[in-house]
Amino acid sequence: MFLDCGRKLEKTHACTGRTCKLHAERSWEGQDANRGSSSCKRMYPPSRKDFISLTLSDPHSHAYNNGKHRRQSCWRKWKQLSRLQRSLILFLLALLLILGLLSYPSITEQWRGLSDREDWLELNDPELKAAPPGVKPVLGPAAGDAPAPAAGPHLEPAVVLDVVVDPRGPNVPILPKPPIKKKTFPNRRGPPNLQKDGNVSDTVGGEKQEQEAVQEEEGEEEGKEKKIVSWRGAMIEADQATEPPPSANEKEAAAPPAPVNPADTVPLEVSTGPADRLEAVRDAFRHAWKGYKDHAWGHDELKPISKSFSEWFGLGLTLIDSLDTMWIMGLKEEFAEARRWVEKELSFDKNVDVNLFETTIRILGGLLSCYHLSGDQLFLEKAKDLGSRLMPAFKTPSKIPFSDVNIGKGTAHPPRWTSDSTVAEVTSIQLEFRELSRLTQEPQYQEVVNEVMKMVHTLPGKHDGLVPMFINTNSGQFTHKGVFTLGARADSYYEYLLKQWIQGGKTEDDLLEDYLQAIEGVKKHLVRKTGPNMLTFIGELSHNRFNAKMDHLVCFLPGTLALGAHNGLPGDHMDLAVQLMETCHQMYVQMETGLSPEIAHFSLQSSDGRDVVVKPADRHNLLRPETVESLFYMYRFTKDTKYRDWGWDILQNFNKYTKIPDGGYTSINNVRDPVNPGPRDKMESFFLGETLKYLYLLFSDDMKLLSLDKYIFNTEAHPLPIWPSPPK
């Protein structure tokens, strides 16, 4: 009867879509005596408050239970574990504690040096002392300074502190620290795809190909592909390369420096005579060359702080880039020694991928220039060998060349992350290939590069002569349209329009037409003035939106405009050149180190305090040549001595903040911090090939030395002759 009653009760509480059960929790006295009753009601005593458990179900199968549950405390759970389990847990906790205490000193030692986003190497010399009163610290001696004293035999310093007397200077020692390699980007102009076999030296200091760097990580696995940015040192493009882990010698070279006795140093000389300035540039070159010869001979680039080298293509980039500079400066012994290396060691029969653009402007251009200056047939033979090995890059569906070519296998390909080439890459190889055809009487070199210019001349996608930054090697069409800049990826396109026209005797009207139209587009869309002091600058255009951003690379433009005006182009080109030259100068003088940042942003509001604004990621300086290049052109055409003075200031600041006492110069991380500029342990080949060459020509009184009526400079500052005008 009790069971029947329960069933009836369950039915009376049924709900649609749900089950409702009523449980009476009570103890009834005399229940057994009444078990046989025929009435269900007699089994239930008077109503009372009972606990009810309600279970609901929903279409999503989420259950809800309103029953009361007591949470077990951690202690009760701990007591439920077996004695063996509790002993094991306590043992593991004790072991972790001991390991943590043992590793604490090494962890704190690694963390202590990481400050500000710049990844400094820690200088932990316990003997380092503050400079005496009246001494202003600098990174390295200036031109003409006495060499820094050597550290003790027990330690080879990476950077030696150097000081000059300055009664106004604070009593603070400089702590220059080379950066720990992090996952950033190597500083390159173009993005070659390097392969594991053949691109990396197996000796100390071999390094992968930034992009930009322009943007490297020591110890990274060989052959690992990375996306990096790299156009003339700017960080923009993907890249891949390899670098072996540092050797014991490299680690020792990166050790903290020993303290320097201020009495052993010589104050920075400030000389103003033309002869003194010329000799100062020679001294700077000799100092840079000493570092390269001692620690990177025959390799691509010097790492002056770690006293090692980096390898990009394995073709001696710095050596070949420097050959014509040594000839121009009259450094005969250095030139002869480098020539012997070219004769005996330089071989292009290597299974290595090289970037077409970089190899053309640096190596092919350097060899052709040396041939013209010296008349030595060796350089022409090497240039012919290299030129023939670069030709497979032009075997594409569109005749727009691939960015990369294997000079040993005779194969070419685009970067592995895209089928595009940058516009500047494919339109800034013409001067060199055209000259190679003229010298060898083999027309195929000129034909392939002229075809590229003809295609670009007629392509849709331009904006009043301004071109996008990318072009597809399959379709031959511009890609990523709507973005226009005179900085990375596009800069030398405009430069080579004018220079090809001049090189060919001013007969190629399409080149002149494209150049004039482009300059009008620049003036219409990209020229603006700052609010505070009305400085004229070149910005960027992105889908009709103006960005007040200007790369240091754009500082080539004043010189190019002046060169055009010198060759009969409109006079307002020279007016714009003068204004832009002042702006490039201000990019230096408004920085605390007197050195320009990689990228500057400009204030458009008059209420802003300063014209030049630098973002933290853009404050590095790579020893770039563009400003001193334009200073050279401006002085040659105007004879205004202020351009020489500006160049002299730049050289002095290079010596003050980037010179490494044992040899070489280094890029720096922070132009806004004169106390800790942050050496990057990298001397790009263009510092010797371009920057010091243009400074020497700027200070030379010999206007016939590489006359601009007889020579045209390629974008790596290698002079090539202007062709004789054809007979009329």
Side-chain angles (χ1 to χ4, degrees):
M1 180 64 67
F2 175 77
L3 295 176
D4 294 340
C5 208
R7 292 190 187 99
K8 293 178 181 179
L9 185 62
E10 182 177 348
K11 290 180 181 180
T12 61
H13 289 81
C15 303
T16 304
R18 300 175 183 173
T19 301
C20 183
K21 295 181 180 180
L22 181 63
H23 303 282
E25 299 177 2
R26 52 180 46 172
S27 62
W28 295 337
E29 296 179 0
Q31 198 175 78
D32 293 340
N34 297 327
R35 194 181 295 268
S37 174
S38 61
S39 173
C40 291
K41 297 180 180 179
R42 294 174 61 185
M43 295 193 62
Y44 292 90
S47 62
R48 56 179 292 182
K49 295 181 179 179
D50 295 322
F51 292 104
I52 297 175
S53 177
L54 182 64
T55 301
L56 304 177
S57 62
D58 58 26
H60 302 287
S61 300
H62 298 303
Y64 174 80
N65 194 314
N66 72 336
K68 293 184 177 180
H69 299 282
R70 293 183 180 179
R71 296 181 179 177
Q72 287 184 322
S73 67
C74 294
W75 176 249
R76 295 183 65 183
K77 292 180 180 179
W78 172 259
K79 297 294 288 183
Q80 288 176 356
L81 298 175
S82 67
R83 179 173 297 179
L84 177 62
Q85 291 173 323
R86 285 181 285 180
S87 300
L88 182 60
I89 293 174
L90 289 174
F91 173 75
L92 291 175
L93 290 175
L95 181 62
L96 290 174
L97 179 61
I98 293 172
L99 292 175
L101 292 175
L102 291 176
S103 62
Y104 176 76
S106 62
I107 294 175
T108 56
E109 189 72 15
Q110 294 176 15
W111 287 354
R112 190 179 304 152
L114 300 177
S115 63
D116 190 14
R117 298 183 60 194
E118 297 297 341
D119 294 326
W120 308 99
L121 274 183
E122 181 181 25
L123 293 180
N124 211 16
D125 194 338
E127 298 179 358
L128 188 63
K129 300 175 183 178
V135 174
K136 184 177 180 181
V138 295
L139 179 62
D145 286 358
H154 64 286
L155 179 64
E156 186 177 11
V159 176
V160 181
L161 300 184
D162 203 4
V163 293
V164 293
V165 177
D166 184 350
R168 299 168 299 174
N171 301 330
V172 181
I174 184 170
L175 300 179
K177 313 173 202 177
I180 295 173
K181 297 299 180 184
K182 58 182 180 179
K183 269 197 176 180
T184 56
F185 311 131
N187 300 320
R188 304 286 182 240
R189 290 192 182 184
N193 286 322
L194 303 185
Q195 293 183 351
K196 184 175 180 179
D197 51 348
N199 285 50
V200 181
S201 170
D202 54 4
T203 58
V204 176
E207 182 183 76
K208 61 180 179 171
Q209 147 54 2
E210 210 324 120
Q211 218 129 92
E212 146 311 318
V214 251
Q215 279 346 3
E216 299 170 6
E217 181 176 11
E218 291 195 9
E220 186 164 351
E221 180 183 358
E222 291 191 3
K224 183 177 180 181
E225 182 172 346
K226 296 173 64 179
K227 288 212 169 178
I228 19 191
V229 277
S230 62
W231 181 262
R232 301 193 176 192
M235 297 185 177
I236 21 181
E237 195 62 82
D239 189 346
Q240 61 196 89
T242 56
E243 177 177 333
S247 67
N249 292 337
E250 284 185 285
K251 292 178 180 178
E252 181 182 355
V260 175
N261 183 0
D264 295 334
T265 62
V266 178
L268 183 70
E269 291 186 8
V270 180
S271 56
T272 57
D276 293 333
R277 291 181 175 184
L278 277 179
E279 192 57 35
V281 180
R282 285 196 192 96
D283 287 343
F285 184 94
R286 291 190 189 101
H287 187 80
W289 187 251
K290 177 183 182 299
Y292 177 77
K293 181 180 176 181
D294 290 347
H295 307 296
W297 181 254
H299 298 285
D300 285 341
E301 292 170 332
L302 168 68
K303 299 173 70 176
I305 296 174
S306 58
K307 299 181 176 64
S308 60
F309 59 85
S310 61
E311 207 71 290
W312 190 4
F313 305 138
L315 300 176
L317 286 181
T318 296
L319 189 148
I320 298 176
D321 241 353
S322 305
L323 282 167
D324 56 2
T325 305
M326 289 184 278
W327 182 271
I328 293 166
M329 291 183 178
L331 302 176
K332 297 180 180 180
E333 292 182 7
E334 291 85 348
F335 180 87
E337 188 176 21
R339 183 204 178 277
R340 286 194 295 271
W341 182 89
V342 172
E343 181 180 22
K344 298 178 180 180
E345 303 293 335
L346 179 61
S347 172
F348 300 121
D349 188 15
K350 291 185 176 183
N351 178 21
V352 57
D353 279 4
V354 301
N355 179 265
L356 172 67
F357 166 71
E358 295 289 353
T359 306
T360 298
I361 65 171
R362 299 191 194 213
I363 301 181
L364 182 59
L367 293 171
L368 291 173
S369 175
C370 280
Y371 168 71
H372 283 294
L373 294 175
S374 68
D376 192 330
Q377 195 71 18
L378 168 69
F379 299 114
L380 180 57
E381 293 302 319
K382 293 289 185 180
K384 289 168 59 178
D385 183 22
L386 177 60
S388 64
R389 294 175 182 271
L390 295 176
M391 287 297 285
F394 296 90
K395 296 178 180 179
T396 68
S398 66
K399 299 183 180 179
I400 297 296
F402 288 130
S403 64
D404 299 272
V405 56
N406 188 299
I407 56 176
K409 293 182 177 180
T411 59
H413 58 85
R416 295 174 185 172
W417 59 92
T418 180
S419 59
D420 291 347
S421 291
T422 65
V423 171
E425 280 183 324
V426 303
T427 60
S428 303
I429 55 179
Q430 279 68 19
L431 292 178
E432 299 82 0
F433 274 83
R434 284 155 52 111
E435 179 61 15
L436 184 60
S437 271
R438 191 178 75 92
L439 292 174
T440 63
Q441 297 299 307
E442 298 178 14
Q444 69 267 23
Y445 302 115
Q446 181 170 352
E447 289 172 353
V448 291
V449 295
N450 281 358
E451 183 66 25
V452 174
M453 297 309 299
K454 291 177 182 177
M455 292 181 61
V456 173
H457 175 68
T458 59
L459 276 185
K462 295 181 184 178
H463 186 48
D464 291 332
L466 304 177
V467 295
M469 294 184 292
F470 296 97
I471 188 168
N472 189 271
T473 54
N474 293 320
S475 66
Q477 300 294 313
F478 290 130
T479 60
H480 300 81
K481 298 178 182 179
V483 180
F484 304 99
T485 176
L486 263 70
R489 295 181 174 136
D491 50 354
S492 47
Y493 160 74
Y494 304 99
E495 175 188 359
Y496 268 41
L497 286 176
L498 175 68
K499 290 183 175 180
Q500 286 178 81
W501 177 70
I502 296 173
Q503 179 194 44
K506 306 178 185 178
T507 60
E508 297 157 286
D509 294 337
D510 286 350
L511 296 170
L512 178 60
E513 177 186 340
D514 287 346
Y515 176 75
L516 291 174
Q517 187 178 12
I519 298 304
E520 291 306 307
V522 168
K523 292 191 291 185
K524 180 178 180 181
H525 300 290
L526 304 183
V527 173
R528 295 288 192 281
K529 290 184 180 293
T530 62
N533 293 298
M534 301 299 290
L535 295 179
T536 301
F537 69 95
I538 304 293
E540 297 181 350
L541 200 63
S542 178
H543 304 288
N544 295 319
R545 294 189 61 182
F546 181 79
N547 185 7
K549 165 184 172 289
M550 177 170 156
D551 295 355
H552 183 277
L553 292 166
V554 181
C555 286
F556 84 92
L557 188 58
T560 300
L561 289 169
L563 179 63
H566 176 72
N567 282 274
L569 300 188
D572 61 353
H573 288 201
M574 191 63 182
D575 297 336
L576 181 58
V578 171
Q579 298 169 27
L580 291 174
M581 192 74 261
E582 173 65 31
T583 301
C584 291
H585 172 58
Q586 289 298 321
M587 288 169 62
Y588 282 78
V589 299
Q590 291 192 23
M591 299 299 109
E592 286 77 357
T593 60
L595 295 174
S596 171
E598 176 70 9
I599 298 172
H601 289 76
F602 293 90
S603 301
L604 298 177
Q605 304 300 322
S606 58
S607 58
D608 293 337
R610 58 192 308 164
D611 299 280
V612 183
V613 179
V614 186
K615 296 184 178 181
D618 304 330
R619 57 191 177 183
H620 50 287
N621 180 284
L622 306 181
L623 312 174
R624 287 204 179 279
E626 287 78 23
T627 293
V628 294
E629 172 187 358
S630 287
L631 289 173
F632 158 65
Y633 283 105
M634 296 300 291
Y635 177 75
R636 279 283 179 101
F637 297 138
T638 68
K639 302 299 186 297
D640 191 334
T641 57
K642 73 178 181 183
Y643 298 125
R644 280 183 163 181
D645 295 337
W646 294 355
W648 178 245
D649 291 340
I650 292 173
L651 177 61
Q652 293 290 85
N653 289 320
F654 278 143
N655 282 327
K656 186 174 183 180
Y657 294 106
T658 73
K659 188 175 184 180
I660 304 302
D662 291 333
Y665 289 75
T666 180
S667 306
I668 60 174
N669 275 318
N670 192 354
V671 298
R672 301 298 306 273
D673 190 347
V675 176
N676 285 316
R680 296 163 67 99
D681 197 17
K682 173 71 71 175
M683 185 176 77
E684 298 280 352
S685 75
F686 54 66
F687 180 65
L688 290 85
E690 298 187 71
T691 306
L692 294 179
K693 182 187 297 172
Y694 281 128
L695 283 169
Y696 186 85
L697 293 172
L698 170 65
F699 299 141
S700 174
D701 286 332
D702 184 2
M703 297 295 106
K704 294 182 180 179
L705 178 61
L706 297 176
S707 167
L708 294 175
D709 293 322
K710 295 181 179 179
Y711 288 92
I712 199 77
F713 288 85
N714 83 338
T715 195
E716 191 75 9
H718 296 306
L720 300 172
I722 297 173
W723 301 347
S725 299
K728 296 182 180 179

